[in-house]
Amino acid sequence: MKDIIFSVKDLTFSYGNSFILNNISLDINRGDFMGIVGPNGSGKSTFVKACLGLVKRQSGTVTIFGKDSGRFKQWGLLAYIPQKATSFNQGFPATVEEVVAANLYQHIGLGKRLGSLHRDKVEAALEIVGMTDYKERLIGKLSGGQQQRVFIAKALVSEPEIMFMDEPTVGIDYKSEESFYELMEYLNKEKKMTLVMVTHDTGAISTKVNRIACITDGKLHVHDADSCCSNDICFDAYGDSKMKLAHKH
Amino acid sequence: MLEVLKYSFMQRAFAAGLLVALICPLIGVFIVLRRMSMIGDTLSHASLAGIAAGMLGKFYPLWGALIFSIAAAIGIEKLRKDFSQFAELSISIVLSASIGLAVVLISLAKSFNADLMGYLFGSIIAVTAQDVLMISILGLIIIASITLLYKEFFYIAFDEEGAELAGIPVAKLNIYFTVLTAMTIVVSMRIVGILMVSSLLVIPVASSMQISKSFKNTIVLSVLFALSSVLIGLFTSFYLDLAPGGTIVLVSVAILLLVIAYKRLFRK
Ligand SMILES: Nc1ncnc2c1ncn2[C@@H]1O[C@H](COP(=O)(O)OP(=O)(O)O)[C@@H](O)[C@H]1O
Ligand SMILES: [Mg+2]
């Protein structure tokens, strides 16, 4: 039986008069690795933000772990790595450990300090992304790929069950990208984490994810990964060339 | 016991000064990291209008300063929504309005006098017992707030969207932080002077960011730099009979230059 942990119904979003998303619905099952694709400017980032309540949707409901998003409280169960997460102020004087620990906010409680239990959680999250040796380093002094790992650790530290990522592999080198997908596979298969990833990465679309959501013209269509290549809507979405490229091999 | 501390006015000046040195960097570090340095100037000009209002209406000027600067703080946050793409515009508007209002009120009160100079440049002899009480109460509120909300303010400064998603009430805390900034200015202006408050918010933090190794380290170093600036500045002010605002800020700039020189020489 499918266990729907994140459900969007009839979501509509516009910036002023220009409608970006029109009556979109989407169910995400536990254990999914979902790819969100679509042309530049089609509203992929906006969709993720509207789902998470980071921009105010005009209409629609979002149900998270069975609760309406308005009454949902356990935000630690959700993680989000925004587009250009690594384009923060590079001079920000914080260590890797401090950045990751920030996301333990809900666990620590008002006015309390980081305890040894929390330090262990930070350590564990850094371990997963292979950044333990860097925890005392200033975040701005790391490479783009390393910063991305820290942001994943920051997302993981609150022990989320579902993680949203917006174009996570843009701007990192090939090797970092490869280990990124290894990590995603580990999280998805071993840790049973549900993953939702906006991507232009055609290789990933055809081999990594199990479901694909295409956003075009304000609409969203979902396919299983193996049937996507034949779908006209996705071809249209890429003006055809990119998808063909993806499915050559 | 140091000779200068025999004078009760100097005791009050030091009590107020030490509190200011502790509070300014605590607030300043978040101001600098959120690139809001202009806000200090704006709120201090609003408090100048409040001082003038107090002189005109014959009530305690620091009340005027507190009310006007908090009103300006809230005004900036409200206007920010109307100019969401140009956040700094809301600051400029409130700054212009504050200066205009201050000038009008000062001319109405015909108060361009030594008292006003004290507020503009800081003063060691003018700190009254009432000032020390006001400064202490506001100072305690600020220190308690930062201690209690440290994690929240850190998260917002680093990643506002992430903070929002983590369940932090970002919009409310932003307004509260601006109000805390307004209070900080009122606390500091007696000693440092309205014209130089924002320097003390920013410069010690700028110095510490040159060499700090973590966020905690940044705060500790900024407080140390601010304390040195205030202590040296107050002594200099006393012995050379200069306005303390100027001496304190000049010492803090000297520290900044020393730190930069140190960094160039010993770290590549
Ligand atoms: N803050 C904004 N105000 C107005 N329009 C916006 C804003 N942000 C994005 N848009 C528009 O919304 C559309 C969708 O943007 P986005 O969700 O970022 O697309 P994608 O992530 O698919 O590239 C684009 O056409 C963009 O121009
Ligand atoms: Mg995008």
Side-chain angles (χ1 to χ4, degrees):
Chain A
M1 211 186 75
K2 295 248 156 100
D3 177 11
I4 299 173
I5 59 174
F6 198 95
S7 170
V8 181
K9 227 174 163 52
D10 301 326
L11 181 146
T12 296
F13 180 88
S14 67
Y15 282 115
N17 288 329
S18 66
F19 276 83
I20 312 290
L21 305 166
N22 229 326
N23 253 331
I24 285 187
S25 298
L26 173 69
D27 286 337
I28 299 169
N29 307 314
R30 191 181 290 278
D32 270 352
F33 188 171
M34 174 170 278
I36 298 180
V37 299
N40 277 325
S42 56
K44 304 180 295 295
S45 301
T46 307
F47 175 65
V48 172
K49 285 186 193 173
C51 286
L52 299 175
L54 295 171
V55 293
K56 220 171 140 76
R57 48 184 185 266
Q58 270 73 37
S59 63
T61 53
V62 174
T63 312
I64 311 169
F65 295 104
K67 269 216 164 68
D68 183 79
S69 62
R71 287 182 296 122
F72 184 74
K73 287 275 182 302
Q74 296 167 278
W75 291 103
L77 292 177
L78 270 68
Y80 168 57
I81 301 178
Q83 189 166 16
K84 307 209 184 83
T86 54
S87 69
F88 65 98
N89 171 6
Q90 297 286 331
F92 200 100
T95 61
V96 166
E97 187 178 29
E98 286 172 327
V99 168
V100 174
N103 211 24
L104 279 174
Y105 157 75
Q106 277 211 332
H107 293 250
I108 299 177
L110 187 74
K112 294 217 189 70
R113 301 274 141 168
L114 204 65
S116 66
L117 178 76
H118 305 119
R119 274 177 218 285
D120 291 347
K121 279 184 199 275
V122 172
E123 190 84 20
L126 286 171
E127 179 101 45
I128 292 175
V129 300
M131 288 295 288
T132 334
D133 294 343
Y134 295 85
K135 74 174 180 199
E136 312 265 310
R137 295 276 280 274
L138 286 175
I139 178 84
K141 298 259 155 81
L142 303 177
S143 76
Q146 291 173 324
Q147 286 178 0
Q148 191 214 37
R149 294 182 157 258
V150 173
F151 283 102
I152 295 170
K154 170 172 171 277
L156 293 178
V157 78
S158 68
E159 292 165 4
E161 295 190 13
I162 179 167
M163 178 152 77
F164 294 81
M165 293 163 284
D166 195 345
E167 307 204 14
T169 56
V170 169
I172 62 173
D173 60 59
Y174 175 73
K175 253 191 85 91
S176 307
E177 186 177 323
E178 207 166 325
S179 49
F180 169 80
Y181 281 116
E182 264 170 40
L183 178 58
M184 288 304 120
E185 195 141 333
Y186 167 77
L187 293 175
N188 187 232
K189 298 267 152 52
E190 307 291 321
K191 295 278 182 182
K192 309 287 176 218
M193 192 180 292
T194 308
L195 303 175
V196 182
M197 176 173 75
V198 175
T199 185
H200 278 295
D201 193 341
T202 48
I205 297 168
S206 48
T207 61
K208 311 286 183 198
V209 305
N210 74 325
R211 291 171 76 211
I212 298 172
C214 300
I215 299 184
T216 35
D217 301 326
K219 290 285 177 198
L220 180 145
H221 305 267
V222 186
H223 326 271
D224 286 333
D226 37 11
S227 69
C228 180
C229 35
S230 62
N231 193 290
D232 291 339
I233 295 154
C234 273
F235 275 97
D236 288 349
Y238 280 94
D240 174 311
S241 61
K242 248 189 166 170
M243 274 325 256
K244 271 188 188 147
L245 192 77
H247 299 96
K248 260 198 318 222
H249 33 247
Chain B
M1 190 79 164
L2 279 164
E3 184 212 350
V4 287
L5 290 179
K6 282 192 314 214
Y7 303 99
S8 61
F9 74 87
M10 273 312 267
Q11 292 167 5
R12 290 195 296 270
F14 270 94
L18 293 179
L19 208 56
V20 167
L22 183 58
I23 289 163
C24 277
L26 283 184
I27 293 289
V29 71
F30 296 104
I31 288 184
V32 170
L33 291 174
R34 301 186 61 195
R35 303 180 195 274
M36 297 185 352
S37 304
M38 275 285 285
I39 215 164
D41 263 328
T42 305
L43 297 182
S44 52
H45 284 92
S47 65
L48 176 61
I51 296 285
M55 290 174 163
L56 184 64
K58 309 256 181 295
F59 56 90
Y60 182 44
L62 284 194
W63 279 125
L66 186 64
I67 291 165
F68 275 56
S69 60
I70 288 179
I74 291 168
I76 290 172
E77 289 298 327
K78 294 272 181 244
L79 275 177
R80 202 191 289 281
K81 299 205 176 70
D82 294 315
F83 298 101
S84 57
Q85 306 299 319
F86 303 97
E88 70 282 3
L89 207 51
S90 67
I91 295 181
S92 299
I93 293 167
V94 174
L95 177 61
S96 316
S98 303
I99 295 177
L101 189 59
V103 168
V104 168
L105 288 174
I106 288 168
S107 17
L108 275 178
K110 306 212 179 342
S111 58
F112 206 81
N113 54 22
D115 261 6
L116 187 69
M117 290 301 171
Y119 284 108
L120 282 174
F121 303 137
S123 166
I124 38 176
I125 47 171
V127 182
T128 62
Q130 188 180 14
D131 292 340
V132 173
L133 182 67
M134 178 89 153
I135 290 172
S136 308
I137 291 171
L138 290 179
L140 283 180
I141 295 176
I142 296 164
I143 293 172
S145 301
I146 294 289
T147 313
L148 222 57
L149 297 168
Y150 172 83
K151 291 194 306 295
E152 286 79 355
F153 287 139
F154 172 80
Y155 205 157
I156 294 173
F158 184 71
D159 171 10
E160 201 166 308
E161 210 172 44
E164 180 99 51
L165 188 65
I168 295 174
V170 173
K172 283 188 193 127
L173 285 181
N174 279 347
I175 294 179
Y176 187 55
F177 181 77
T178 322
V179 170
L180 288 177
T181 309
M183 290 181 180
T184 304
I185 281 160
V186 175
V187 167
S188 316
M189 61 191 225
R190 218 58 193 101
I191 290 292
V192 196
I194 286 168
L195 290 177
M196 281 154 291
V197 173
S198 68
S199 316
L200 198 61
L201 285 173
V202 170
I203 295 174
V205 177
S207 308
S208 90
M209 275 172 62
Q210 295 290 323
I211 50 171
S212 68
K213 296 188 168 69
S214 71
F215 190 74
K216 276 220 178 80
N217 188 225
T218 308
I219 291 185
V220 172
L221 284 177
S222 336
V223 171
L224 283 177
F225 291 154
L227 277 173
S228 324
S229 309
V230 168
L231 284 177
I232 300 172
L234 283 179
F235 278 116
T236 320
S237 162
F238 176 78
Y239 285 112
L240 302 182
D241 194 19
L242 300 166
T247 55
I248 290 171
V249 168
L250 284 181
V251 174
S252 74
V253 171
I255 291 175
L256 174 65
L257 295 177
L258 283 176
V259 169
I260 292 175
Y262 165 83
K263 195 182 160 192
R264 293 237 173 117
L265 284 176
F266 296 105
R267 293 203 205 156
K268 276 283 178 246

